[in-house]
Amino acid sequence: MSARPREDLRVKDACIPDFVVDPRSGKKYKKGRFLGKGGFAKCYELIDVATNTTYAGKIVSKNLLVKPHQKEKMSMEIAIHRSVSHKHIVGFHGFFEDTDNVYILLELCRRRSLMELHKRRRAITEPETRYFMRHAVLAMQYLHKNQIIHRDLKLGNLFLDDEMDLKLGDFGLATRIEKEGERKRTLCGTPNYIAPEVLAKKGHSYEVDIWSLGCIMFTLLVGKPPFETSCLKDTYLRIKRNEYSIPSSCKVSPAARSLISRLLKNNPHERPSVDSLLEDTFFTSDYLPPKLPTTCLTVTPRFAPLVTRKPLKEINAKDENASPTKAGMDLLHKGTLPKPFQGQSENQASGRDQAVSIPTARVQSAKTEEECSYLTDLLSQLVSVVHCKPAEVVDMRMDDAEDPAAAPVLWISKWVDYSDKYGLGYQLSDGSFGVLFNDSTKLLLQSNGEDMEYIERDGTEKFFSIDSFSESMRKKVTLLKYFRNYMSEHLLKTGAAVKLESDNLARLPFLRTWFRTRSAIVLHLNNGTLQINFFQDHTKIILCPLMAAVTYIDETRQFRTYRLSLIEKCGCCRELASRLQYARIMTERLLAPKTHSAKPHKETTSAVNTKEGALQTIR
């Protein structure tokens, strides 16, 4: 049996008005974006009308606080959280209640939690793990010094702010040690992180948090929790027996292995104290990033420039190996680009193009094993959703499936098709730019407008500055500037801007492949994201196989993100259902062996025309 009741049994609809008032202070708050839901609570942005300050509002229906122990638990959470203040703990800004709900005002962490990062990235690098673990340890040092045990340390309770600083939150299971040597006996926690002494019910103390830190570190480095199984009973049995192993395929250093082993000692008295952790070799003997770029939420950052302490402008500035391939140079014409570009933005594209237009170079580019894995997983998810005919499900509300935490970190907000000569240029939602050239090389410009990355056909990366590069790169850099200037001057941008600060740790996701049909443009990024922009009504869907979610951008540019598994149960509108069916067809195309001709075969054109007709019929 789970140590925590099932979420779907605990979350009840609460009557949450558009405006709420704190009866004690008279302050008025406007309900903003839906942020998600957890055990007892739904979370929305709550905006102070007077100051325009935005908080994360944790809202609990009083219908769930009927029994004395439920009220006591709520009071304990508020009392403990309001008593703490630390850089790496989610800020507590107040609470109040009305006749229907209790409202807790918390610091808004816009970058979500380590759980979302884990799902998008799976295993992350040791420098990143060191960065996040250090923040978590500092938070735990503060709590333990103040006689508080958190008792629910897990990826989902480690939040990230705009600066990528980690913030520990959710004090729903936290408790105080009133006297030295006191042992708590409540069975609580989250199964994959729960310590063996909690399961044994022989009393537990601060050491349970140390154990959970070990589970977190293992999960970040290996990509899955150490004791996870498909059966809760088996998971608990493995915890009691301390049965876990780091796969040989995982690149985990001896220092990291050693610290994990120390943290996951079955005997709580053999685990290190929280005050000694930062002295461990894992933290002292290797690189600790002072900051992480927000792009690491979706792609692996790079660390070499900082390790070597070389300024980014000096990296490859005079490296002749950064030159493009001869085939690529043959595609570039001398002189300036003719205007206007022979392309459209997602807001201006028309259906006058041919049914399929895929230049030879892109057709011949090989799919990586990772790319195929993403597409295979996505196809499986889409087949399952489409099979359930979600547009016909009418007994549940679509809102039940909404999950903003699964929203994409980056997506393509503008694009220009000039593949008849050069390639496809695009802008990401953070203001960065990229070009996928017809020779399958890629050139990326960070949102700071300075740092650039060039990727050869074989995946080799070269980093340099827009003001300092080898002469052999001049033509491609010039082309990227033309694409950038054209999109900035002529094309509209989709959705609200996502501010992602760039620095020399950042690495951007890039466009791996794309094609156009009469109805849409299909764009596949190397981080697994599949984006489809529909020409007729300018709607878009952004699919992430790692989050198993879809974001639907409607005609009014409203973003809604849904878990695909919940759409199966809750259903969705006909418009989204038809686009998911179309996405399934396009995913099959991406997985199918590609031809070596720049012109589509008749069978291909015919098949696509039939599918286009099907889409129109569904609408």
Side-chain angles (χ1 to χ4, degrees):
M1 184 175 179
S2 172
R4 277 193 163 200
R6 287 172 53 89
E7 288 188 0
D8 56 354
L9 297 178
R10 296 167 62 190
V11 177
K12 304 291 183 181
D13 284 334
C15 178
I16 306 172
D18 291 334
F19 290 90
V20 295
V21 178
D22 181 348
R24 295 171 300 179
S25 67
K27 288 186 176 181
K28 187 176 183 181
Y29 299 90
K30 178 183 177 181
K31 183 179 71 176
R33 293 183 305 128
F34 175 60
L35 299 176
K37 56 187 178 183
F40 286 99
K42 285 189 174 182
C43 294
Y44 287 85
E45 289 181 346
L46 288 182
I47 305 163
D48 188 321
V49 173
T51 65
N52 207 35
T53 304
T54 302
Y55 302 99
K58 185 174 182 178
I59 305 171
V60 181
S61 171
K62 286 187 174 180
N63 292 332
L64 297 172
L65 303 175
V66 177
K67 298 180 180 179
H69 77 274
Q70 294 169 333
K71 294 180 180 179
E72 182 181 353
K73 181 178 179 297
M74 185 87 253
S75 298
M76 176 68 75
E77 175 181 355
I78 292 173
I80 290 179
H81 202 165
R82 72 185 300 192
S83 71
V84 300
S85 178
H86 188 270
K87 178 181 179 180
H88 296 299
I89 294 178
V90 173
F92 184 95
H93 294 284
F95 76 99
F96 61 93
E97 59 183 296
D98 58 21
T99 55
D100 297 312
N101 307 301
V102 176
Y103 303 86
I104 303 176
L105 301 176
L106 301 171
E107 177 182 4
L108 179 60
C109 296
R110 290 182 174 87
R111 303 304 174 201
R112 299 294 176 172
S113 73
L114 289 190
M115 176 57 74
E116 285 75 46
L117 181 146
H118 162 66
K119 288 182 177 180
R120 290 190 177 95
R121 292 274 311 280
R122 297 169 182 165
I124 66 174
T125 65
E126 286 202 14
E128 292 171 282
T129 301
R130 194 172 291 111
Y131 176 88
F132 292 129
M133 285 293 295
R134 180 177 178 274
H135 290 184
V137 169
L138 289 172
M140 294 317 305
Q141 287 179 347
Y142 173 84
L143 291 182
H144 288 190
K145 182 180 180 181
N146 287 277
Q147 291 80 52
I148 297 171
I149 316 174
H150 188 275
R151 298 200 297 185
D152 199 19
L153 283 178
K154 58 182 180 179
L155 297 184
N157 287 339
L158 297 174
F159 300 94
L160 298 170
D161 67 7
D162 288 342
E163 303 300 319
M164 292 299 288
D165 284 332
L166 183 145
K167 308 272 186 172
L168 173 61
D170 193 346
F171 286 78
L173 297 181
T175 188
R176 288 188 181 273
I177 295 294
E178 301 296 342
K179 57 184 178 180
E180 187 175 352
E182 180 184 0
R183 312 294 289 182
K184 301 293 183 178
R185 299 186 182 276
T186 304
L187 176 59
C188 61
T190 299
N192 279 327
Y193 303 84
I194 200 166
E197 62 267 31
V198 176
L199 295 177
K201 300 181 183 179
K202 294 182 179 180
H204 60 268
S205 189
Y206 300 109
E207 299 84 6
V208 299
D209 287 341
I210 305 300
W211 172 276
S212 296
L213 285 174
C215 295
I216 289 167
M217 182 174 173
F218 183 103
T219 305
L220 291 176
L221 289 173
V222 177
K224 63 179 181 179
F227 305 101
E228 184 178 54
T229 68
S230 58
C231 172
L232 189 59
K233 182 178 178 181
D234 291 341
T235 297
Y236 285 165
L237 188 61
R238 290 187 62 184
I239 291 173
K240 292 175 182 177
R241 293 176 177 176
N242 201 239
E243 293 178 355
Y244 74 92
S245 62
I246 298 175
S248 58
S249 58
C250 294
K251 296 180 180 179
V252 180
S253 69
R257 291 173 183 266
S258 174
L259 180 54
I260 289 172
S261 177
R262 294 179 63 210
L263 296 170
L264 295 181
K265 292 290 186 182
N266 251 37
N267 184 343
H269 301 295
E270 294 179 4
R271 296 171 206 153
S273 69
V274 70
D275 290 329
S276 68
L277 283 180
L278 295 183
E279 300 171 5
D280 188 89
T281 305
F282 174 73
F283 291 102
T284 61
S285 65
D286 212 332
Y287 179 58
L288 173 65
K291 280 290 181 183
L292 287 177
T294 47
T295 52
C296 78
L297 294 170
T298 184
V299 291
T300 305
R302 60 190 181 92
F303 300 108
L306 285 183
V307 172
T308 56
R309 296 297 188 266
K310 291 182 179 180
L312 183 64
K313 290 184 179 181
E314 294 179 16
I315 304 298
N316 294 319
K318 298 181 180 180
D319 187 355
E320 292 304 317
N321 292 327
S323 62
T325 61
K326 184 178 185 301
M329 295 305 299
D330 290 341
L331 292 171
L332 305 179
H333 297 182
K334 294 181 179 180
T336 60
L337 292 177
K339 293 184 179 181
F341 279 83
Q342 296 174 6
Q344 307 288 343
S345 78
E346 76 278 32
N347 289 308
Q348 297 174 332
S350 66
R352 59 187 175 82
D353 58 315
Q354 294 181 352
V356 181
S357 178
I358 312 175
T360 306
R362 282 198 305 282
V363 173
Q364 293 175 335
S365 62
K367 292 192 290 284
T368 66
E369 182 178 343
E370 185 177 48
E371 179 185 6
C372 288
S373 174
Y374 289 150
L375 290 172
T376 301
D377 290 346
L378 180 58
L379 180 59
S380 176
Q381 295 161 8
L382 290 171
V383 167
S384 182
V385 170
V386 171
H387 176 74
C388 291
K389 299 180 179 179
E392 298 179 9
V393 178
V394 295
D395 60 332
M396 297 184 72
R397 294 182 305 147
M398 191 177 176
D399 288 348
D400 292 332
E402 189 176 354
D403 187 0
V409 176
L410 292 170
W411 63 92
I412 292 176
S413 58
K414 301 179 183 180
W415 58 269
V416 173
D417 179 2
Y418 211 159
S419 56
D420 60 337
K421 289 185 178 180
Y422 305 112
L424 185 127
Y426 59 92
Q427 182 178 2
L428 292 175
S429 54
D430 69 331
S432 57
F433 291 88
V435 179
L436 173 55
F437 291 105
N438 287 346
D439 63 353
S440 294
T441 61
K442 299 102 180 168
L443 186 58
L444 310 173
L445 174 65
Q446 297 278 355
S447 59
N448 61 11
E450 180 178 343
D451 302 326
M452 302 192 75
E453 178 182 2
Y454 180 69
I455 305 173
E456 295 274 15
R457 293 189 64 173
D458 63 1
T460 302
E461 298 174 299
K462 303 293 180 181
F463 299 92
F464 52 92
S465 164
I466 196 169
D467 297 320
S468 181
F469 50 85
S470 62
E471 182 61 29
S472 57
M473 283 300 302
R474 184 169 301 279
K475 289 185 178 180
K476 287 195 173 181
V477 172
T478 299
L479 283 170
L480 183 141
K481 289 180 179 179
Y482 275 117
F483 276 112
R484 178 194 63 182
N485 293 341
Y486 181 83
M487 286 184 281
S488 298
E489 293 172 7
H490 299 287
L491 305 185
L492 300 175
K493 188 172 183 178
T494 298
V498 176
K499 184 62 176 176
L500 297 176
E501 295 295 338
S502 296
D503 55 34
N504 60 355
L505 290 175
R507 182 185 269 117
L508 291 167
F510 59 82
L511 182 64
R512 186 181 293 281
T513 189
W514 66 278
F515 60 85
R516 292 175 67 167
T517 70
R518 290 184 304 175
S519 290
I521 183 169
V522 180
L523 306 146
H524 188 221
L525 302 180
N526 70 311
N527 64 354
T529 298
L530 178 66
Q531 179 172 334
I532 304 178
N533 296 359
F534 296 93
F535 298 145
Q536 184 174 358
D537 57 8
H538 310 308
T539 60
K540 300 150 193 75
I541 57 173
I542 305 168
L543 293 140
C544 177
L546 293 167
M547 299 298 290
V550 58
T551 295
Y552 178 41
I553 307 174
D554 64 20
E555 298 94 327
T556 64
R557 300 188 187 180
Q558 292 296 312
F559 281 61
R560 293 288 186 273
T561 299
Y562 306 97
R563 297 278 185 178
L564 292 173
S565 60
L566 290 178
I567 287 181
E568 292 184 38
K569 302 175 182 178
C570 303
C572 66
C573 61
R574 289 180 60 85
E575 291 76 16
L576 177 55
S578 68
R579 283 152 182 77
L580 290 174
Q581 182 175 345
Y582 189 81
R584 177 185 65 80
I585 297 169
M586 295 300 103
T587 304
E588 289 174 343
R589 281 194 50 123
L590 285 167
L591 276 169
K594 295 182 179 179
T595 66
H596 295 278
S597 171
K599 296 181 180 180
H601 290 299
K602 291 182 179 179
E603 307 93 289
T604 306
T605 305
S606 176
V608 172
N609 287 341
T610 302
K611 293 161 188 172
E612 301 295 342
L615 180 66
Q616 298 294 337
T617 301
I618 293 170
R619 287 177 184 166

